[in-house]
Amino acid sequence: MKKLDLPVVTFTRAQNQFRKEVRNFLERERSMGSFITHADSWMSGYSSEFSKNLGKQGWIGITWPKKYGGQERSALDRYIVTEELLAIGAPVASHWFADRQSGPLFLKFGTEEQRKFFLPKIAKGECYFSIGLSEPNSGSDLASIKTKAEKVEGGWIINGMKTWTSGAHHSHYAITLCRTSPPDAKNRHAGMSQFVLDLSAEGVTIQPIQFLTGEHHFNEVFLENVFVPDEYVVGVIGNGWKQGMEELAYERSGPERVMSTFPLLQEAVEYLKEQNDVNGLAQALQLVSRMWSLRNMSIGVAQMLEKGEDVSLTASLVKDLGTIFEQAVAEMVRLLIDSTPSVTSEKLMDRLMAESVLHGPGFTLRGGTTEILRGIVAKGVLAK
Ligand SMILES: Cc1cc2nc3c(=O)[nH]c(=O)nc-3n(C[C@H](O)[C@H](O)[C@H](O)COP(=O)(O)OP(=O)(O)OC[C@H]3O[C@@H](n4cnc5c(N)ncnc54)[C@H](O)[C@@H]3O)c2cc1C
């Protein structure tokens, strides 16, 4: 059986200084009214103005080469920015997927033209991407997707449907997984390819799916004879599964899989301190200590990414534990503090509570369900 070998990371003085810089910037922005704190803000907090502001700081695509608009900083510096944004519940959903996974996908598999065209715009906080994987009967079992791309002169014609596509109504593009040839009898994962889908192209219809809160975050995306030029093929035709799985490692590995309800936890601790509620604080402390362990594991994964190591197993493990923790925060705080949850409340506690409880069921589904992640961990741990 394999050993779990997560590196233990200590931040340097320069990194701690950088964290202060990021935190001061965010606190200043919030006090100027550029945003208010939300739970799960990486999924639901859209503000192109805020994204552009962050882009001006150089904090989107921060690890990418300078020639593509990046800063060539470390994965741990990226971790610091990400963690501070989540802790304060800033509106980062517009650029989140592009920064987290579409940009790195172009860096690894894209053409030089794609890198030069997309990466600087993403880094400026001006170009947003969605993820076009799930379909009505294909979520965990992505190899069963039906959306098809057929070769024509100069490009591809796409027909099909994607669902649960977060932010498609705000994004410019979606990295879309399509079948380009039938599944191989021996390998169901063969014959899939990734395309950059222009969400404003003719034949694309985006319809909202209402969230439990009543808000509009994800969508159904209908694709009817949508033309995608050859220049928008990502990587190699037929290699979509392998490329997609590498992308998923970025999707699963970040602190957003631990911190979606952190603003609620922080607010609860402040409230319990004010009330001098010693019993309540003792219970909240249990959450804080779980958070501490998960945080260290999550930072360890960031360090592995920095070294170019395979994080598919460790990221799945941290995501499984992390998302269950996020749900536990909502549940425990709900029992500890008497509030009247409402997503439109002026009271921070009531709003964060409503957002955390209503977003909670999705935490263990999005980006791979608990059962699927445990399958990956079990196979990975037992593999010789
Ligand atoms: C908030 C949110 C945002 C999302 N955003 C996006 C997005 O932007 N883009 C996108 O493409 N998708 C998105 N999704 C979809 C998400 O990726 C899927 O919901 C997820 O992969 C599960 O797929 P499914 O819903 O089809 O459920 P299913 O795959 O049908 O699973 C249903 C249940 O069966 C279990 N199950 C399935 N297969 C197995 C198995 N082999 N072994 C054991 N148990 C199994 C699952 O664990 C689950 O409990 C989003 C989902 C949510 C909740």
Side-chain angles (χ1 to χ4, degrees):
M1 204 184 274
K2 262 191 197 151
K3 217 171 92 202
L4 177 66
D5 231 349
L6 273 168
V8 176
V9 177
T10 311
F11 288 111
T12 62
R13 274 175 81 167
Q15 283 164 338
N16 288 334
Q17 191 53 39
F18 180 51
R19 182 183 291 282
K20 268 194 204 149
E21 188 192 326
V22 176
R23 192 173 291 180
N24 288 344
F25 168 83
L26 292 173
E27 274 167 5
R28 211 167 42 242
E29 286 288 312
R30 184 170 60 178
S31 67
M32 287 185 326
S34 93
F35 69 89
I36 57 171
T37 294
H38 284 280
D40 204 23
S41 63
W42 65 274
M43 184 56 86
S44 53
Y46 294 99
S47 166
S48 53
E49 215 169 291
F50 183 80
S51 292
K52 284 177 195 157
N53 239 339
L54 217 56
K56 279 195 195 124
Q57 298 298 313
W59 295 342
I60 302 177
I62 189 170
T63 59
W64 305 347
K66 288 192 175 155
K67 65 175 172 173
Y68 304 129
Q71 305 293 324
E72 298 182 6
R73 295 185 72 146
S74 69
L76 288 178
D77 283 344
R78 179 173 189 277
Y79 193 94
I80 288 168
V81 173
T82 310
E83 197 171 43
E84 290 301 317
L85 288 166
L86 296 166
I88 203 164
V92 288
S94 298
H95 69 267
W96 198 259
F97 299 147
D99 177 45
R100 178 180 73 186
Q101 63 197 86
S102 314
L105 185 76
F106 287 126
L107 278 172
K108 179 122 198 224
F109 296 105
T111 60
E112 188 55 16
E113 288 69 29
Q114 288 170 347
R115 290 183 197 132
K116 281 190 184 144
F117 183 77
F118 292 114
L119 295 181
K121 289 191 181 66
I122 295 175
K124 281 187 183 158
E126 291 172 356
C127 179
Y128 314 135
F129 276 74
S130 286
I131 307 165
L133 292 173
S134 304
E135 296 184 9
N137 293 307
S138 307
S140 304
D141 182 18
L142 275 178
S144 67
I145 56 164
K146 301 273 180 311
T147 297
K148 233 195 216 170
E150 288 171 295
K151 186 76 188 98
V152 292
E153 172 100 37
W156 297 77
I157 293 286
I158 302 188
N159 278 289
M161 178 191 174
K162 293 289 168 182
T163 192
W164 314 121
T165 322
S166 303
H169 53 309
H170 289 288
S171 298
H172 303 97
Y173 304 98
I175 301 286
T176 305
L177 187 70
C178 300
R179 245 211 187 275
T180 40
S181 58
D184 191 316
K186 286 198 187 130
N187 178 9
R188 295 176 69 234
H189 300 142
M192 287 190 274
S193 309
Q194 289 182 303
F195 297 86
V196 178
L197 175 75
D198 180 345
L199 289 166
S200 64
E202 209 180 320
V204 178
T205 308
I206 300 171
Q207 281 186 1
I209 305 175
Q210 216 181 41
F211 213 61
L212 278 177
T213 53
E215 293 157 294
H216 174 194
H217 304 149
F218 46 31
N219 303 273
E220 292 178 312
V221 179
F222 298 91
L223 306 167
E224 204 180 333
N225 292 321
V226 183
F227 177 74
V228 176
D230 282 328
E231 299 81 75
Y232 278 14
V233 170
V234 183
V236 176
I237 289 293
N239 196 36
W241 180 263
K242 184 178 175 293
Q243 294 173 196
M245 289 306 107
E246 292 207 20
E247 195 189 329
L248 274 179
Y250 288 106
E251 185 174 342
R252 289 174 178 158
S253 64
E256 66 268 42
R257 304 302 183 176
V258 178
M259 292 184 68
S260 303
T261 50
F262 182 83
L264 175 67
L265 179 58
Q266 193 168 29
E267 184 63 11
V269 170
E270 291 304 323
Y271 176 86
L272 293 166
K273 276 201 291 198
E274 269 168 34
Q275 301 295 310
N276 211 8
D277 182 342
V278 179
N279 282 339
L281 278 169
Q283 293 191 55
L285 194 62
Q286 288 180 24
L287 290 172
V288 175
S289 63
R290 270 172 80 182
M291 166 98 214
W292 183 83
S293 310
L294 287 164
R295 175 173 187 254
N296 280 304
M297 293 173 81
S298 175
I299 296 169
V301 176
Q303 177 79 313
M304 288 174 75
L305 275 177
E306 172 91 353
K307 290 189 181 156
E309 292 171 19
D310 179 6
V311 299
S312 47
L313 196 154
T314 44
S316 299
L317 182 72
V318 177
K319 182 187 180 285
D320 175 19
L321 296 170
T323 51
I324 286 173
F325 167 77
E326 293 177 327
Q327 289 175 337
V329 169
E331 183 58 14
M332 197 181 272
V333 175
R334 183 177 74 77
L335 297 174
L336 278 178
I337 293 174
D338 194 14
S339 81
T340 314
S342 160
V343 283
T344 52
S345 178
E346 302 266 299
K347 256 178 87 183
L348 185 59
M349 173 64 78
D350 291 349
R351 190 161 43 73
L352 293 176
M353 185 81 85
E355 289 167 350
S356 302
V357 168
L358 294 172
H359 288 219
F363 297 164
T364 47
L365 294 173
R366 60 191 185 191
T369 68
T370 301
E371 290 75 15
I372 294 301
L373 297 170
R374 289 182 185 172
I376 294 171
V377 172
K379 274 191 219 157
V381 166
L382 294 173
K384 290 216 170 112

